[in-house]
Amino acid sequence: MAQGSTTSQARLERLSQALGSGTFADVRRMLNGLPAADVAHLLESSPPKFRHILWQMVEQEDEGDVINELGDELRLHFLSDMNAAEVAQITEHLQDDDLVDILQQLPDRVTREVLDSMDHRDRARLEQVMTYPDDTAGGLMSTDTITIRPPLTFDVVLRYLRRHAEIPPMTDNLIVVNRNDQFIGLLPLNTLLVSDPSSTVRERMITDIPPIPADMPDDEVARLFERNDWVSAPVVDQQGRLLGRITIDDVVDVIREDADHSLTSMAGLAEDLDTFAPVFYTASRRALWLGINLLTAFLAASVINLFQDTIEKVVALAVLMPIVASMGGIAGTQTLTVMVRGMALGHVGKHNESWLINRELAVGLLNGILWAAVVAVAASLWFDDWNIGLIIAAAMIISLLAAALTGATLPLLLKRMKIDPALAGGVVLTVTDVVGFLSFLGLATWFYV
Amino acid sequence: MAQGSTTSQARLERLSQALGSGTFADVRRMLNGLPAADVAHLLESSPPKFRHILWQMVEQEDEGDVINELGDELRLHFLSDMNAAEVAQITEHLQDDDLVDILQQLPDRVTREVLDSMDHRDRARLEQVMTYPDDTAGGLMSTDTITIRPPLTFDVVLRYLRRHAEIPPMTDNLIVVNRNDQFIGLLPLNTLLVSDPSSTVRERMITDIPPIPADMPDDEVARLFERNDWVSAPVVDQQGRLLGRITIDDVVDVIREDADHSLTSMAGLAEDLDTFAPVFYTASRRALWLGINLLTAFLAASVINLFQDTIEKVVALAVLMPIVASMGGIAGTQTLTVMVRGMALGHVGKHNESWLINRELAVGLLNGILWAAVVAVAASLWFDDWNIGLIIAAAMIISLLAAALTGATLPLLLKRMKIDPALAGGVVLTVTDVVGFLSFLGLATWFYV
């Protein structure tokens, strides 16, 4: 990772230089002919000032494709400057699933206007796709499928395909349906190509791959694609009728977003965030998480406040107390990361939760004992007082056990309450702070006062 | 995310119950017929005790496929129990790129033995693939390609394909080469299917997609696949000769691993870690990061130690000082996460680094001022002393600026030194602790003493 892309990086540097020096004709020339995804990447890699210059240079006919490739935040930013007619015009040629993603980001009024501007058949099809939430199989699917019937011979299928000007991208299977449009099986194009033209669809179709129900969550769809190495898969309704198909390019986006989500949520950041968002926007998005942390920090401070007398007597306690809290925080974050990641990968379920919690407690105890011993010796020598060494050792073991328990159980609890487990980060740090200060200063008070 | 897979989760529960109750015949029956990827997922989701029972129930002919689907840690665990002959036997039918991944995890001696047991042609091909590092295009590719020459008509190509029993999975293009085996272009199977059989390859092949050089880093390959929605892509050597091709299933693994890497590294955990690793192994893997943190915590403590006299005079300082450090830590982690993520996505380069650093400083200043004001009022009221409010406010602004500066510049610096930027987490927290304590206690000393 993070090795950077030499070719696209070099292109970025050149474009940025041209932008900086104001030679806009060069920029326009470089921009033309780039694939939409590259233009989107350029926009995402540019500070706001250059973004608007770049965006104005995008040919209007390419705007829809570029918008489609942008992350959510930046996409919304450009869309909010457009009226319904403009949105309708630039998104005309997009696939259903992509268009629906865009429409779902717009205010209801604009979405309505865009839909109203379409012809009846397009609108009906889109409205059907829009009934499925964004994060389900139905929200991921497009409706451009090629279907065939079982009695056909391959010769007929081949002639039928030749009547198409082109086959939809990422078509690796033709979908076999009955006369009620219900899914029966798949005919891989590869089978069609290597088989005798007199074979029939019925003889060679695959029927042991179950189709995807439209209400399956998107992370489950992604796991099925990953495990079975699919390029595309059919989507059906509850009656088994074919609704559309999902292709691997959209699944890759789901995988990328899910992984991104764990990383950003643990730092209290929005997922799919814009790296180059402007100052005020960024500051306001981050302020809330800092504010929550401030409340919890005051909670920790009020614990210390209980022990003012003890600290006045033994100032060394004030020196050492952050060590206990810090070690608890690191251990808690490690446990939490393992849990959040394991849950996102689908490794963690009811049947293995208690094993995991016990494992984390055992790991916390072992590392607690190990580093408590080190800290005890270091603190005793530093302050020439073996009592303080014993006190900090005991506090550290308690703290690491509390870190393990909170880090392991809290995300499970949040998941059961249908709250994002990755948000547990702030609470885990608070618990480790509070337990760290309470155990260390409490033991010291019991001993010294 | 984290909604869990109902079907596979239900299967896991049933299997786990059967394992727990010792009805191994049921387990074996359930296990048989599952795809290798599902068996691998089951193994990864099981505590160690059940893993070994499950692994013994896997049919020997399936072991290679299951090993291939496992994460690095668990794969190595099972492989280390096998001798070279066993490895050679179970991996016989795997694709080159998968086999090479496995061989590269084994001790050199075992790898040598496995290679020696192969026939000459297989060995030569594998040794070629093994010359490319694991994290380059060459390390990702497999050598099973179907190549054609430009003068052929589609009729001839179709007949040529029918001579194959099957076409390699994920073949969406035939690769067009000249008589020196150099890459010329691609012929999509879709084009072949919709075109007149009398067309020639030369007329309809695509020549504007550049092939992938074998030494391209794997994250750059992943970005190309994502941006261009490829299913497969040809790999060439420096002379443009075709070496093999990369398929989307292996690219998805790269994307998953890269995203996983940012998440786990920031918590000081190994990437591709085993969720259910046993206690001692887990404890020892995490101990190092805790030990490093302990050293830095002592550094922060020694800063506090400088101000013992001040704390003795004003104990309220000991109560409030964790607030400054904690806010700095949160702000620093937010900045660091944005940077590490932006770098992994290829958004950050020389031309926009300074903009980002300035943006982070401005955000730090704004949020610093905002929360400093809140803290100032709260602290002043709490301790009935407006001076302490002003002191903590100033310290908080300094602390958030330091957090922004370290969080933004350190990952860039590490990247230039070819060190993983995600490892900056520990250092950022140390800097914010040290700066927080130093500014708060330093200002207080200057004022009160």
Side-chain angles (χ1 to χ4, degrees), chain A residues 1-3 5 7-9 12-13 16 37-38 41 44-45 47-48 135 158 161-162 164-165 167-168 170 189-190 193-195 197 219-220 223 226-227 229 231 248-249 252 255-256 259-261 263-264 267 269 272-273 275-277 279-280 282-283 286-287 289-291 293-294 297-298 301-302 304-305 308 312 315 318-319 321-323 326-327 330 334-335 337-338 341 344-348 350-352 355-356 359-360 362-363 366-367 371 375 378 382-383 415, chain B residues 1-3 5 7 9 12-13 16 37-38 41 44-45 47-48 135 158 161-162 164-165 167-168 170 189-190 193-195 197 219-220 223 226-227 229 231 248-249 252 255-256 259-261 263-264 267 269 272-273 275-277 279-280 282-283 286-287 289-291 293-294 297-298 301-302 304-305 308 312 315 318-319 321-323 326-327 330 334-335 337-338 341 345-348 350-352 355-356 359-360 362-363 366-367 371 375 378 382-383 415 437:
Chain A
M1 61 146 290
Q3 314 224 25
S5 128
T7 51
S8 80
Q9 217 54 277
L12 268 171
E13 306 284 348
S16 157
D38 283 13
H41 184 78
E44 287 180 340
S45 310
D135 58 353
L158 284 168
L161 288 179
R162 282 200 197 108
H164 291 72
I167 297 179
M170 309 241 163
L189 290 183
N190 288 353
L193 284 166
V194 299
S195 303
D219 60 334
E220 169 75 350
R223 256 177 251 147
E226 272 194 88
R227 280 192 222 158
D229 291 345
V231 170
I248 182 76
D249 52 326
V252 167
I255 293 172
R256 176 77 87 186
D260 195 31
H261 176 88
L263 179 68
T264 52
L269 301 165
D272 199 20
L273 62 88
T275 308
F276 292 89
V279 173
F280 282 97
T282 306
R286 291 196 206 159
W289 191 251
L290 285 165
N293 179 66
L294 186 61
F298 266 104
S302 68
I304 304 173
N305 193 48
Q308 283 209 23
E312 242 168 1
V315 179
V319 175
M321 68 186 189
I323 295 179
S326 159
M327 291 293 277
I330 296 285
Q334 289 189 328
T335 299
T337 304
V338 169
R341 178 179 174 277
L345 292 176
H347 286 168
V348 182
K350 282 213 183 71
H351 64 288
N352 52 24
W355 187 90
L356 262 185
R359 201 267 316 265
E360 287 303 318
V363 169
L366 279 181
N367 273 326
W371 295 113
V375 167
W382 189 0
F383 294 100
K415 191 182 161 193
Chain B
M1 61 147 288
Q3 311 223 29
S5 128
T7 51
Q9 217 53 278
L12 269 171
E13 306 285 345
S16 156
D38 283 13
H41 184 79
E44 287 180 340
S45 309
D135 59 351
L158 284 168
L161 287 179
R162 281 200 198 109
H164 291 70
I167 298 178
M170 308 241 164
L189 289 183
N190 288 352
L193 284 166
V194 300
S195 303
D219 59 335
E220 169 75 350
R223 256 177 251 146
E226 272 194 270
R227 279 192 222 159
D229 291 346
V231 171
I248 182 76
D249 52 325
V252 167
I255 293 172
R256 177 75 87 189
D260 194 32
H261 176 87
L263 179 68
T264 52
L269 301 165
D272 199 22
L273 62 89
T275 308
F276 293 89
V279 173
F280 282 97
T282 306
R286 291 196 206 158
W289 191 251
L290 285 165
N293 180 65
L294 186 61
F298 265 104
S302 68
I304 304 173
N305 193 47
Q308 283 209 24
E312 240 169 2
V315 179
V319 175
M321 68 186 191
I323 295 178
S326 158
M327 291 293 276
I330 296 285
Q334 288 188 330
T335 299
T337 304
V338 169
R341 176 179 175 277
L345 292 176
H347 286 169
V348 181
K350 282 214 183 70
H351 64 287
N352 52 24
W355 189 91
L356 263 184
R359 201 268 314 266
E360 288 303 318
V363 169
L366 280 180
N367 273 325
W371 295 113
V375 168
W382 190 0
F383 293 100
K415 191 182 160 192
F437 294 140

Side-chain angles (χ1 to χ4, degrees), chain A residues 2 5 25 28 47 56 64 76 123 128 145-146 175 179-180 212 230 234 251 253-254 274 317 319 402 426:
Chain A
S5 128
R28 196 187 294 271
Q56 270 151 26
L76 190 58
R123 184 166 64 223
Q128 194 203 7
T145 54
I146 300 188
I175 304 177
R179 72 188 71 207
N180 296 323
I212 295 179
W230 287 340
V251 172
D253 291 341
V254 172
D274 170 9
L317 296 174
V319 175

Side-chain angles (χ1 to χ4, degrees), chain A residues 116-317:
Chain A
D116 286 346
S117 73
M118 292 177 171
D119 79 33
H120 176 71
R121 251 187 78 192
D122 287 346
R123 184 166 64 223
R125 213 182 52 234
L126 273 180
E127 281 174 338
Q128 194 203 7
V129 177
M130 287 182 74
T131 57
Y132 298 102
D134 199 24
D135 58 353
T136 62
L140 279 179
M141 73 184 177
S142 66
T143 52
D144 57 341
T145 54
I146 300 188
T147 56
I148 50 174
R149 299 281 313 286
L152 301 181
T153 63
F154 282 9
D155 216 18
V156 176
V157 173
L158 284 168
R159 265 184 287 142
Y160 169 68
L161 288 179
R162 282 200 197 108
R163 291 217 302 271
H164 291 72
E166 59 180 8
I167 297 179
M170 309 241 163
T171 297
D172 58 335
N173 299 307
L174 303 177
I175 304 177
V176 189
V177 294
N178 67 16
R179 72 188 71 207
N180 296 323
D181 226 21
Q182 281 167 318
F183 173 83
I184 306 178
L186 295 171
L187 181 70
L189 290 183
N190 288 353
T191 306
L192 187 64
L193 284 166
V194 299
S195 303
D196 191 289
S198 65
S199 325
T200 66
V201 172
R202 196 189 308 279
E203 286 163 20
R204 304 298 307 273
M205 67 183 180
I206 301 173
T207 54
D208 60 351
I209 296 181
I212 295 179
D215 57 358
M216 182 183 278
D218 61 356
D219 60 334
E220 169 75 350
V221 173
R223 256 177 251 147
L224 282 174
F225 267 78
E226 272 194 88
R227 280 192 222 158
N228 298 293
D229 291 345
W230 287 340
V231 170
S232 73
V235 179
V236 296
D237 66 11
Q238 288 186 318
Q239 283 72 46
R241 272 191 305 261
L242 184 71
L243 295 172
R245 64 186 188 114
I246 297 177
T247 51
I248 182 76
D249 52 326
D250 294 315
V251 172
V252 167
D253 291 341
V254 172
I255 293 172
R256 176 77 87 186
E257 278 162 27
D258 277 0
D260 195 31
H261 176 88
S262 298
L263 179 68
T264 52
S265 304
M266 286 200 39
L269 301 165
E271 68 188 299
D272 199 20
L273 62 88
D274 170 9
T275 308
F276 292 89
V279 173
F280 282 97
Y281 183 80
T282 306
S284 65
R285 294 292 295 262
R286 291 196 206 159
L288 179 66
W289 191 251
L290 285 165
I292 295 172
N293 179 66
L294 186 61
L295 277 179
T296 65
F298 266 104
L299 185 67
S302 68
V303 171
I304 304 173
N305 193 48
L306 299 174
F307 301 100
Q308 283 209 23
D309 297 344
T310 316
I311 293 173
E312 242 168 1
K313 224 172 261 168
V314 190
V315 179
L317 296 174

Side-chain angles (χ1 to χ4, degrees), chain B residues 6 15 28 79 139 158 162 165 171 174 178 186 196 217 224 226 238 268 294 300 315 331 337 362 372 381 383 443:
Chain B
T6 36
L15 254 164
R28 196 186 295 268
L79 281 176
L158 284 168
R162 281 200 198 109
T171 298
L174 304 177
N178 67 16
L186 295 172
D196 191 290
L224 282 174
E226 272 194 270
Q238 287 185 318
L294 186 61
V315 179
T337 304
L381 294 176
F383 293 100
L443 284 170

